[in-house]
Amino acid sequence: MPPVAANPQSESRRYWGLVALAALLALAGYAAAHHMDVNGHAVTGMDNRVVWGLPHVFAILMIVAASGVLNVASIGSVFGQAEYKARAPLAGLLCIALLAGGLFVLMLDLGRPERMVVAATHYNFTSVFAWNVFIYTGMFAVAAAYLWTLMERRMSRWSGPLGVAALVWRFVLTTGTGAIFAFLVARPAYGSALLPPLFIVLSFAWGLAVFLVAQAAAYAWCGRALPEAIHARMRRLLGVFVAAALYFSLVHHLVNAYFAQQQAFERFLLVDGGLYPLLYWGAFVAAGSVAPLALLWRRGAPSAASTLAAALLVLLGAFAWLYVFVIGGQAYPQPIFPGFDARSSFGDGAIARYAPRWPELVLGIGGVALAALVTLVGARAFAFVPEDPATTPAPAARGAGAD
Amino acid sequence: MTDRRDDVDAGRRQFVGWGVAMAGATLAPGVMLFDLAHGRAPEAPAPRGVRWGMLVDATRCAPDCNACIVACAKEHGLPDGKRSTDAQWIRKVELKDLRSGRALGAPVMCQHCAKPPCVDVCPTGASFKRADGIVLVDRHTCIGCRYCMLACPYQARSFVHEPVVNPQPDVPRGKGCVESCTLCVHRIDRDRAPACVEACAAAGHRALVFGDLNDPGSEIAKRVASYATAPLRPGLGLDPGVRYHGI
């Protein structure tokens, strides 16, 4: 991204400093995964009850956001909105970056990460995980081809069809991610046909929130201000997405709470489960949904800073929602002996305790850092920062910043 | 000269004949024992038409007995199961009826479902079901994603969280892979009952009955036919090979 600054050398140092920090954190994530690989997952907080932990929260958040961020491009290419079309390249880059970050975490958390070649050569086609191997690699390919049509003038006539392909593929990808849980018959938390559409709605909000954060950073870096008309449109859109995500999540719990066999679990998750109700109501509903809505929909002209704050709160809520969904869903015991009080050395009948430890936290942060690194490098190498005619700096100023 | 040679030949024939007979008498029991010990040749596929299963009679499961768990851990070189990261292929679940207060216990292990969710969700096909109904994990293609553990409705699978100590020659295990009760497949293939079943019988309880559910003459089939038994979580429709009585 070409900075517009009085002192290009200083800007360049800041840029490379950011790149170095992101690379270092990504490397730390890899080192944490290596530590897990050598010593086994016993060094993490995961165990035989909570088998998916913090790494999966990070990974799913990035993968779902990767699909959602492409909406910005689709609104431009498929629905012909010029303001969004200018943002399509950045959306495509963020999609690839987030997908890379999410898969980095997911793959390095495997018990046998060196067997990725096995995962790439042995397929069980009844497994939604195996489908996702194709869906994720396909998303990379579609997003890259779409970016090519956006960046290369000779290919621009293909940007429409590839925009449609990207739109369809992103729906497939989020459906696949939601289906990972929807296909689990065993646990009260999962096994619902509502989950894939719920994940799609969540991806709208999370993806746009990521986009708004990246866009704010890019504009701040370039010393530009987002045109108010565009700011207002994107702000309102995020509000609609956040409201829809909150609605879907509440309906999911409402339906579950209606079934007698699900009531104890819903009570645990939403009322007396300690950390989980706190995260759901406090972090997802209040801080991650209601507060952003208040910031986005308040009267007057909300500032760019308040929109950025709303987007960051949405991402905080996203993390909390996934923590409750993934870990809370496993912490509650399975109903193997209904009508009995069950106890065993393997945690039957008991709430599982999960306390994340540093390797899984560092691995998750490493994935985010990798996504940031890909974005930083991509934005530097290509013209991914949106160009709005009204705010584009004078050529002289642009030239001063491009180093 | 000719007569003498005939005499020698006759003696040699007799000697060879006795030798063969003695060798046969010496080797035959060994060959038979070998055949018994290896009920199925290593290269032969698991038999179709057989459905290995187990009946857990909770009315006979003694409250203070954990012989099945000890035997399983010894047979497979498993840790003592004190930590939540330890593999437990079989566990004793202590139950108390919420209405009547009746207390009982029952071991729970892989239920060897006819329609196993773990097999459905495994991305590489490492989780698989043999023709005789035994559900296993191929240690060479398991990537350690743990999706099968999320999918199992009986919490029957374990992840190997640490480097394996005390490995047993018949039981391949490895850090970073998922594993569960194999129904002692290495013993079944040599016509022996699972270790837990033998230990339960040796402890005098006979709460575990193993056999071919498809063979009407087997003890397990007779007992399943003679009194009420049920699988765990029958509503899921997975048709487990392990059935319970007294719960």
Side-chain angles (χ1 to χ4, degrees), chain B residues 78-95:
Chain B
L78 303 179
D80 57 13
K82 287 181 179 165
R83 295 174 303 168
S84 63
T85 51
D86 284 347
Q88 294 191 45
W89 291 13
I90 183 171
R91 64 192 190 270
K92 177 92 170 273
V93 182
E94 304 292 345
L95 299 164

Side-chain angles (χ1 to χ4, degrees), chain A residues 37-42 46-49 51-52 56 109-112 115 118-119 122-124 126-130 179-181 183-187 190 330 334-337 339-348, chain B residues 84-88 91-98 102 104 108 119-125 139-147 149-155 157-159 161-163 175-177 232-233 236 247:
Chain A
D37 188 29
V38 170
N39 298 291
H41 277 56
M46 292 176 273
D47 59 14
N48 284 316
R49 282 289 307 278
V51 301
W52 283 4
H56 302 81
D109 175 73
L110 292 175
R112 301 299 298 260
R115 288 187 180 168
V118 173
H122 292 67
Y123 292 108
N124 168 25
T126 63
S127 169
V128 66
F129 245 28
I180 288 172
F181 296 96
F183 287 180
L184 295 175
V185 296
R187 297 169 188 268
Y190 314 127
Q330 297 171 80
Q334 294 201 56
I336 300 173
F337 295 98
F340 287 91
D341 176 43
R343 292 281 177 271
S344 82
S345 58
F346 216 40
D348 283 86
Chain B
S84 63
T85 51
D86 284 347
Q88 294 191 45
R91 64 192 190 270
K92 177 92 170 273
V93 182
E94 304 292 345
L95 299 164
K96 187 176 173 187
D97 193 316
L98 291 172
R102 180 175 68 109
L104 69 158
V108 175
V119 172
D120 288 342
V121 304
C122 177
T124 63
R139 302 292 189 277
H140 299 287
T141 50
C142 174
I143 58 173
C145 70
R146 286 105 76 200
Y147 193 24
M149 296 176 76
L150 270 181
C152 175
Y154 307 105
Q155 201 190 306
R157 294 203 150 191
S158 297
F159 182 65
H161 285 80
E162 288 172 287
K175 171 176 67 70
C177 290
L232 298 179
R233 303 187 76 176
L236 297 178
I247 293 178

Side-chain angles (χ1 to χ4, degrees), chain A:
Chain A
M1 88 191 55
V4 182
N7 185 350
Q9 280 186 336
S10 157
E11 290 299 323
S12 187
R13 271 202 299 273
R14 273 175 57 196
Y15 172 79
W16 289 111
L18 274 176
V19 167
L21 178 66
L24 209 63
L25 287 173
L27 206 63
Y30 183 82
H34 180 68
H35 177 63
M36 288 158 60
D37 188 29
V38 170
N39 298 291
H41 277 56
V43 298
T44 72
M46 292 176 273
D47 59 14
N48 284 316
R49 282 289 307 278
V50 178
V51 301
W52 283 4
L54 210 52
H56 302 81
V57 173
F58 275 102
I60 296 168
L61 175 54
M62 282 188 275
I63 290 167
V64 171
S67 63
V69 79
L70 258 188
N71 284 340
V72 173
S74 300
I75 295 169
S77 291
V78 180
F79 301 106
Q81 302 295 311
E83 297 89 342
Y84 284 91
K85 198 162 187 176
R87 283 155 177 77
L90 181 58
L93 173 65
L94 285 170
C95 171
I96 290 174
L98 287 166
L99 203 53
L103 294 181
F104 172 85
V105 177
L106 213 53
M107 289 192 291
L108 289 181
D109 175 73
L110 292 175
R112 301 299 298 260
E114 83 283 5
R115 288 187 180 168
M116 275 316 298
V117 69
V118 173
T121 52
H122 292 67
Y123 292 108
N124 168 25
F125 286 102
T126 63
S127 169
V128 66
F129 245 28
W131 304 352
N132 279 347
V133 172
F134 290 102
I135 293 172
Y136 294 152
T137 47
M139 188 79 255
F140 274 122
V142 170
Y146 179 50
L147 275 179
W148 187 31
T149 64
L150 292 173
M151 314 292 286
E152 171 58 60
R153 286 186 195 281
R154 286 173 298 173
M155 298 297 294
S156 61
R157 65 198 166 100
W158 293 102
S159 70
L162 270 161
V164 174
L167 176 69
V168 171
W169 206 275
R170 64 119 306 172
F171 277 111
V172 171
L173 187 143
T174 329
T175 301
T177 309
I180 288 172
F181 296 96
F183 287 180
L184 295 175
V185 296
R187 297 169 188 268
Y190 314 127
S192 164
L194 191 63
L195 291 178
L198 169 60
F199 268 63
I200 287 173
V201 174
L202 290 168
S203 79
F204 286 2
W206 302 353
L208 185 56
V210 168
F211 183 86
L212 289 175
V213 171
Q215 179 178 252
Y219 273 70
W221 187 272
C222 298
R224 296 186 205 165
L226 189 65
E228 181 48 36
I230 297 170
H231 173 224
R233 285 189 66 176
M234 300 193 88
R235 190 181 71 230
R236 281 197 298 271
L237 190 63
L238 181 62
V240 170
F241 288 167
V242 169
L246 177 62
Y247 167 78
F248 262 69
S249 180
L250 290 175
V251 166
H252 180 223
H253 285 301
L254 179 69
V255 171
N256 276 352
Y258 198 80
F259 300 151
Q261 62 180 4
Q262 297 276 66
Q263 283 167 359
F265 168 68
E266 288 296 326
R267 186 173 178 79
F268 162 74
L269 213 61
L270 303 180
V271 180
D272 55 16
L275 177 67
Y276 303 108
L278 194 69
L279 284 175
Y280 187 81
W281 295 110
F284 172 67
V285 175
S289 304
V290 176
L293 285 175
L295 285 169
L296 296 165
W297 283 350
R298 67 179 170 157
R299 293 186 178 186
S303 66
S306 70
T307 302
L308 176 62
L312 288 169
L313 282 171
V314 168
L315 293 177
L316 170 80
F319 193 88
W321 188 90
L322 277 172
Y323 195 97
V324 172
F325 180 73
V326 175
I327 296 166
Q330 297 171 80
Y332 192 77
Q334 294 201 56
I336 300 173
F337 295 98
F340 287 91
D341 176 43
R343 292 281 177 271
S344 82
S345 58
F346 216 40
D348 283 86
I351 304 296
R353 280 180 294 185
Y354 172 68
R357 291 163 75 178
W358 72 263
E360 63 231 87
L361 178 64
V362 174
L363 174 59
I365 293 170
V368 177
L370 181 71
L373 183 64
V374 172
T375 309
L376 281 167
V377 172
R380 181 77 166 198
F382 303 101
F384 280 118
V385 180
E387 295 283 343
D388 300 307
T391 57
T392 302
R398 223 182 19 236
D403 55 335

Side-chain angles (χ1 to χ4, degrees), chain B residues 112-181:
Chain B
H112 298 280
C113 307
K115 300 170 187 171
C118 55
V119 172
D120 288 342
V121 304
C122 177
T124 63
S127 288
F128 68 101
K129 184 169 67 102
R130 295 203 331 176
D132 55 9
I134 301 175
V135 175
L136 298 172
V137 179
D138 181 345
R139 302 292 189 277
H140 299 287
T141 50
C142 174
I143 58 173
C145 70
R146 286 105 76 200
Y147 193 24
C148 58
M149 296 176 76
L150 270 181
C152 175
Y154 307 105
Q155 201 190 306
R157 294 203 150 191
S158 297
F159 182 65
V160 184
H161 285 80
E162 288 172 287
V164 171
V165 292
N166 188 27
Q168 301 298 304
D170 281 330
V171 186
R173 303 181 65 225
K175 171 176 67 70
C177 290
V178 173
E179 57 186 27
S180 59
C181 159

